[in-house]
């Protein structure tokens, strides 16, 4: 070939073709001219060094990746210093937006850079997975502990009215609500007093998107016995 890099229609010089046979010595062969052929790019895969990052639920499938000590398989030994991975402008997407572990992540737009990069074609990495973890939710208002008449126990009750949940994404507000079914509430002491601390547990979230959130039980509730 006239040159070693990837291209089409590269000139090919031929030599050493000979004539054979009983009458061959009576002839002189001119080597063929005008031959051309293509050099196509060599495939490269990423052996290691690319990982998909976990994220907190945000209602989208947008994903990110990290690159560290990337190993490229298929680059010739003489080109390793001149072919590197570039993550500029890459895209990454989770297969689904909801909270789960081991969700498939599709990556595109990774490229090769360097003086010899044009001689190679990169296959985008496959088999990447990551987790989407639940977003935290707190109760801003709407939960109050109820006063009670002394009964010798620390059992308490709460009331809920116009509950405001902080941390639920705007697109999920119609699908995430507070459920008080099965809650527990306990006074810090059983005797008559004002402003006794009340600990609450067992409040949960309900609705089509509730599994994407983790509820922090309300604190600093107080009531009177």
């Amino acid at each position: 070939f006239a040159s070693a890099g990837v291209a089409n229609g590269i000139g090919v010089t031929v030599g050493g073709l000979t004539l054979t046979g009983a009458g061959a010595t009576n002839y002189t062969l001119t080597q063929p001219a005008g031959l051309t052929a293509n050099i196509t790019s060599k495939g490269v895969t990423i052996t290691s060094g690319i990982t998909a990052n976990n994220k907190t639920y945000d209602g989208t499938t947008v994903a990110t990746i990290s690159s560290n000590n990337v190993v490229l398989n298929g680059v010739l030994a003489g080109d390793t210093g001149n072919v590197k991975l570039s993550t500029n402008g890459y895209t990454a997407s989770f297969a689904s937006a909801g909270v789960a572990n081991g969700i498939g992540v599709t990556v595109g737009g990774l490229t090769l850079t360097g003086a010899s990069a044009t001689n190679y074609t990169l296959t985008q990495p496959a088999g990447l997975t990551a987790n989407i973890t639940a977003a935290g939710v707190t109760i801003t208002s709407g939960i109050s502990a109820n006063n009670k008449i002394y009964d010798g126990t620390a059992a308490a009750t709460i009331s809920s009215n116009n509950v405001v949940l902080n941390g639920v994404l705007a697109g999920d507000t119609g699908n995430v609500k507070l459920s008080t079914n099965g809650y527990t509430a306990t006074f810090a002491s059983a005797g008559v007093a004002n402003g006794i601390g009340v600990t609450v547990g067992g409040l949960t979230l309900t609705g089509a998107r509730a599994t994407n959130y983790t509820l922090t039980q309300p604190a600093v509730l107080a009531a009177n016995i």
Side-chain angles (χ1 to χ4, degrees):
F1 280 99
S3 57
V6 169
N8 293 329
I10 308 168
V12 176
T13 302
V14 178
L17 294 176
T18 58
L19 299 174
T20 186
T25 55
N26 298 315
Y27 296 90
T28 299
L29 177 66
T30 299
Q31 301 296 311
L35 297 181
T36 62
N38 305 332
I39 298 178
T40 56
S41 57
K42 190 174 188 297
V44 171
T45 58
I46 300 171
T47 303
S48 61
I50 294 290
T51 55
N53 300 320
N54 299 331
K55 75 168 185 177
T56 301
Y57 172 75
D58 63 5
T60 75
T61 58
V62 174
T64 60
I65 60 172
S66 294
S67 58
N68 187 36
N69 298 322
V70 172
V71 176
L72 298 175
N73 181 47
V75 177
L76 299 177
D79 286 342
T80 53
N82 292 309
V83 179
K84 302 296 182 183
L85 182 72
S86 171
T87 58
N88 293 337
Y90 81 88
T91 61
S93 300
F94 282 98
S96 57
V99 168
N101 292 329
I103 308 168
V105 175
T106 302
V107 178
L110 294 175
T111 57
L112 298 174
T113 187
S116 298
T118 55
N119 296 317
Y120 297 91
T121 299
L122 178 68
T123 298
Q124 301 296 310
L128 298 181
T129 62
N131 306 331
I132 298 178
T133 55
V137 171
T138 57
I139 300 171
T140 302
S141 61
I143 293 290
S144 58
N146 299 319
N147 300 330
K148 76 169 186 177
I149 296 174
Y150 172 76
D151 62 4
T153 76
T157 60
I158 61 172
S159 294
S160 59
N161 185 37
N162 297 322
V163 171
V164 176
L165 299 175
N166 181 49
V168 177
L169 298 176
D172 289 344
T173 53
N175 292 307
V176 180
K177 302 296 182 184
L178 182 72
S179 171
T180 58
N181 292 338
Y183 81 88
T184 60
T186 307
F187 280 101
S189 58
V192 169
N194 292 329
I196 307 168
V198 175
T199 302
V200 177
L203 294 175
T204 57
L205 298 174
T206 187
R209 301 287 175 83
T211 55
N212 296 315
Y213 297 92
T214 298
L215 177 67
T216 298
Q217 301 296 310
V220 199
L221 296 183
N224 306 331
I225 299 178

